Amino acid sequence: TAPTITPTPKDETANWKTYTNAKYGFEVKYPATWQIPTERDFASYPESGVYDTFLIDFYKNTVNGQGINGDGFFISVSKRDDTEYRDLSAGVGLPLVSGFGANDDFSKCSSPVSEVAIGIGNYSAKKVSVSSADKCFQPVYRYVVQNGEYSYGIRSSSDGFACVGCNGESTTKEKFPEFYQILSTFKFTK
């Protein structure tokens, strides 16, 4: 019998650039034609009230230095535990739609959080996906992974929170499918 030859899958990210952050210990690939990432490190300014310790934006296109809705992604790093922050049973977490308060019955809300594996290391992550049709929470779509003292939030700019008129996961799948290739290249370096 003749041996079966299986072609090696082509690495579509082979010619991409790699962004490495030594301070927060991660790297991710992004298409070589994209804009240079914009970093904002808030660790030195705790009094600023900024929620994240570090934030980086990646965009395919920009206008006047700002990304165009739906064509990029963000990585945020924070010392808060994003998994506890999103615990719906505690009555806190995702931004509520107007008219729904902390004393309301959360049992009528379904949890938008599921366990998934992401990145090169198949890291255990929380996928948070809320569509614009949700009656309890504002639209959001992100992946959150813990590493040491930090929580890393990775989200498409089509997530419904950063993109006016976008509908999170469905918009990302339709208009920004390369987000999933980018997500697959994420890895921790320490």
Side-chain angles (χ1 to χ4, degrees), residues 101-154:
N103 294 325
D104 288 321
D105 182 8
F106 276 87
S107 66
K108 63 184 171 184
C109 299
S110 61
S111 176
V113 182
S114 58
E115 293 281 339
V116 296
I118 65 165
I120 290 175
N122 284 321
Y123 305 108
S124 176
K126 301 277 186 187
K127 173 182 159 187
V128 183
S129 182
V130 179
S131 77
S132 60
D134 193 286
K135 301 296 184 204
C136 295
F137 303 103
Q138 293 176 1
V140 67
Y141 178 54
R142 69 182 59 189
Y143 293 83
V144 180
V145 61
Q146 293 287 134
N147 189 34
E149 67 180 314
Y150 293 110
S151 176
Y152 299 76
I154 306 165

Side-chain angles (χ1 to χ4, degrees), residues 8-16 29 181 184-185:
T8 304
K10 180 182 175 192
D11 180 3
E12 295 179 16
T13 67
N15 295 325
W16 286 14
K29 288 180 145 188
Q181 285 179 289
S184 75
T185 69

Side-chain angles (χ1 to χ4, degrees), residues 17-21 24 26 28 30-31 34-42 52-68 71-77 153 155:
K17 293 179 182 177
T18 300
Y19 169 83
T20 303
N21 188 297
Y24 296 106
F26 71 94
V28 66
Y30 63 99
W34 283 29
Q35 307 296 319
I36 296 170
T38 304
E39 295 181 346
R40 292 176 300 238
D41 197 337
F42 303 106
D52 299 308
T53 303
F54 174 81
L55 182 64
I56 184 162
D57 308 331
F58 298 81
Y59 286 107
K60 185 187 311 184
N61 300 297
T62 59
V63 173
N64 298 324
Q66 297 295 313
I68 298 170
D71 72 349
F73 71 102
F74 309 95
I75 298 176
S76 61
V77 180
R155 63 186 169 100

Side-chain angles (χ1 to χ4, degrees), residues 63-90:
V63 173
N64 298 324
Q66 297 295 313
I68 298 170
N69 274 351
D71 72 349
F73 71 102
F74 309 95
I75 298 176
S76 61
V77 180
S78 177
K79 284 195 173 185
R80 75 175 187 277
D81 182 348
D82 242 353
T83 56
E84 286 181 13
Y85 174 71
R86 304 203 184 286
D87 180 3
L88 303 181
S89 64

